[in-house]
């Protein structure tokens, strides 16, 4: 690593609106006290989070580079210039940990390519927390992102993940847009084998947290409203 460069800190955030230091270690607060230059998805929510973590920090000292679906690849090449000039920078996710199901992975790759030290901080990852609480295989697992919207593709994907789980003894995790959560649970129940285990991990770390693992056959007789609630779905076929 180039000792003249500033470090890139990967700063986790909350998964909801609970007080930051209920779910984040004090090390996150210490780094936010240190860092003024950030790469974020949304400046408004980033400022709000930083203020909640450190209310004494002057907002006027903060500088933000925006990384989202509208950011052009050629823009990213200059995002770590502050690190190259010796300043520490923070990569801040909208929810959970940067770089995991998050566009920040491109920035971390850029840091490695430029010999900039990457420092990950401890914080909540909904993917890891869902796996921990599912009771399924934590030695071999895969996160598959979003399930396809098309009905036939969705069914084929669910069957493929179930087959992989059985053949490789591998836990499969995936997500859906929150307003389609109820539909994906219906599709899971209609598509997968009755003995396949399914964990629904919803509102993780929040007061409304709901985490339950049952077989598909048992889920068919369960009523739960997941509409617009962030959820992770975990499956395993024994």
């Amino acid at each position: 690593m180039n000792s003249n460069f500033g470090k890139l800190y990967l700063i986790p955030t909350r998964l909801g609106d609970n007080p930051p230091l209920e779910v984040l270690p004090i090390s996150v607060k210490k780094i936010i006290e240190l860092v003024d230059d950030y790469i974020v998805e949304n400046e408004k929510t980033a400022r709000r989070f930083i203020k909640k973590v450190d209310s004494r920090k002057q907002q006027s000292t903060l500088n933000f580079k925006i990384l989202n679906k509208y950011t052009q690849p050629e823009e990213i090449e200059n995002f770590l210039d502050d690190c190259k000039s010796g300043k520490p920078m923070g990569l801040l996710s909208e929810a959970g940990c940067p770089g995991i199901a998050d566009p920040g992975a491109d920035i971390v790759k850029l840091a490695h390519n430029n010999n900039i030290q990457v420092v990950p901080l401890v914080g909540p990852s909904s993917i890891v927390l869902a796996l921990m609480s599912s009771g399924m295989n934590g030695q071999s697992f895969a996160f598959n992102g979003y399930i396809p919207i098309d009905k036939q593709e969705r069914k084929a994907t669910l069957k493929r993940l179930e087959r992989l789980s059985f053949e490789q003894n591998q836990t499969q995790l995936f997500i859906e847009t929150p307003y389609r959560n109820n539909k994906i649970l219906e599709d899971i129940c209609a598509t997968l084998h009755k003995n396949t285990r399914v964990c629904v991990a919803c509102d993780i770390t929040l007061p409304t947290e709901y985490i339950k693992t049952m077989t598909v056959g048992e889920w068919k007789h369960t009523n739960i409203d997941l509409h617009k609630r962030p959820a992770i779905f975990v499956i395993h076929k024994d």
Side-chain angles (χ1 to χ4, degrees), residues 153-170:
E153 289 183 22
R154 173 180 292 224
K155 181 178 179 179
T157 298
L158 289 172
K159 294 297 288 184
R160 177 177 59 82
L161 295 180
E162 183 182 50
R163 184 173 63 256
L164 281 172
S165 176
F166 178 72
E167 292 175 350
Q168 301 183 20
N169 187 27
Q170 185 179 69

Side-chain angles (χ1 to χ4, degrees), residues 1 6 12 21 31 37 57-58 63 76 87 92 106 113 116 127 134 144 147 156 165 168 175 182 184 194 198-199 237:
M1 303 299 168
L21 296 183
I31 294 303
D37 299 280
K57 193 171 186 71
Q58 293 294 317
N63 303 301
I76 294 175
K87 295 180 182 178
L92 196 62
D106 290 336
N113 289 344
I116 294 168
I127 298 168
S134 69
N144 299 277
I147 291 295
S165 176
Q168 301 183 20
I175 55 177
N182 287 334
I184 189 62
K194 66 178 182 179
V198 177
C199 177
K237 184 179 182 182

Side-chain angles (χ1 to χ4, degrees), residues 93-112:
S93 178
E94 274 290 280
C97 297
I100 301 178
D102 175 85
D106 290 336
I107 300 300
V108 178
K109 179 181 178 182
L110 182 66
H112 286 295

